[in-house]
Amino acid sequence: MDVITVDSDVFLCRGRDVNWVLLREGTDLTLVDTGYPGYAEQVEESVRRIGGRPEDVRGILVTHGHVDHIGGLAHFHDAFGTPVFAHPAEVPHVRRDHLEQATPIQVARNSHRRGVLPWSLRIMRAGALQDVAFADVQPVPADEPLDLPGRPVPVPTPGHTTGHTAYLVPSAGAVATGDGLCTGHATSPTAGPQLLPKMFQHGDDVAGLSPLDGLDADTVLPGHGAVHRGPIGEAVRAAREAATRRKW
Ligand SMILES: [Zn+2]
Ligand SMILES: [Zn+2]
């Protein structure tokens, strides 16, 4: 696990197969996403590595309800009482009133593709098949700064999932884009702004890029892949372009 200092109080934490983000204000922290269930210890370790304590996390923001992003919610909530927030349209997904996620059968059908088999074995070890339904998630309003460390602004980006949401950190010009805009993935042969393979998408993922286009940001903190620096409009264009070449 790597912790990359993006700005003095903004950190991208990179686990083997998924990222999460830490925002700091004084000693208080906001955590955006929590990795797979098996990453709980790494997520705690990332907090300590920037000099914090897990109990200093004032809130967890969820980009979307996939197992690789919400796997640590129950752990943080049970151990530290950390409140959990998501966009109203994603709350039912986090609660597992419904599920918009690639099924084991869909993954198996693509297991001949580059990187898919080793990735699927790794994520199973990380708890990808565990039940991560989390009932205690609270809805937050979009398009205004939240009263949480880093003052993140939820930016709805429906596409990857129905209520997928990015989080803009205005003071750093950075956006945690979740899986709405990635820069790499274990199953992708390329690095740079891109959309995940279609089996991971549950709506119009290309349209889901549009809300990012006009943001005042020049740093992308993706759910998968490396930090991307440069005007976000250019990253969006590059991802749209890459999507036209996407084969699956
Ligand atoms: Zn996802
Ligand atoms: Zn993901």
Side-chain angles (χ1 to χ4, degrees):
M1 187 264 301
D2 287 329
V3 178
I4 291 121
T5 304
V6 174
D7 196 75
S8 51
D9 289 311
V10 178
F11 306 88
L12 182 72
C13 309
R14 300 198 59 196
R16 177 66 179 85
D17 281 299
V18 69
N19 303 334
W20 57 95
V21 171
L22 284 165
L23 310 177
R24 186 169 61 190
E25 194 172 311
T27 57
D28 292 338
L29 300 169
T30 298
L31 174 60
V32 182
D33 290 345
T34 59
Y36 285 100
Y39 284 25
E41 212 153 283
Q42 293 179 50
V43 177
E44 280 197 30
E45 169 60 23
S46 68
V47 170
R48 282 190 283 269
R49 222 182 275 180
I50 65 166
R53 302 174 308 164
E55 53 267 46
D56 296 330
V57 177
R58 298 289 163 241
I60 300 174
L61 294 172
V62 173
T63 60
H64 66 296
H66 283 161
V67 62
D68 51 330
H69 299 259
I70 67 168
L73 294 183
H75 168 77
F76 265 80
H77 193 259
D78 293 351
F80 310 109
T82 322
V84 175
F85 306 99
H87 184 275
E90 195 66 4
V91 163
H93 193 206
V94 176
R95 292 184 174 148
R96 287 297 182 262
D97 297 343
H98 64 270
L99 180 61
E100 302 177 323
Q101 190 164 278
T103 64
I105 289 170
Q106 281 176 300
V107 173
R109 270 196 210 118
N110 286 293
S111 61
H112 62 288
R113 300 184 189 277
R114 180 197 166 277
V116 173
L117 188 58
W119 165 80
S120 64
L121 296 173
R122 261 198 323 273
I123 67 165
M124 276 193 271
R125 283 197 298 273
L129 299 179
Q130 283 181 32
D131 177 10
V132 293
F134 184 80
D136 224 343
V137 53
Q138 304 171 47
V140 283
D143 304 317
E144 56 183 77
L146 300 176
D147 187 19
L148 284 171
R151 309 296 129 183
V153 180
V155 180
T157 49
H160 179 69
T161 61
T162 301
H164 189 284
T165 302
Y167 295 95
L168 172 67
V169 187
S171 61
V175 199
T177 53
D179 288 0
L181 172 57
C182 291
T183 62
H185 192 267
T187 64
S188 167
T190 58
Q194 59 190 276
L195 295 170
L196 294 178
K198 288 175 190 161
M199 76 164 168
F200 298 120
Q201 308 293 354
H202 304 273
D204 188 343
D205 54 334
V206 176
L209 289 166
S210 297
L212 299 172
D213 211 348
L215 297 179
D216 185 13
D218 57 9
T219 304
V220 173
L221 314 174
H224 304 270
V227 175
H228 179 81
R229 307 264 190 186
I232 188 143
E234 282 175 25
V236 164
R237 273 188 290 286
R240 282 196 187 116
E241 163 76 24
T244 65
R245 296 190 299 270
R246 190 168 46 164
K247 299 217 166 48
W248 63 290

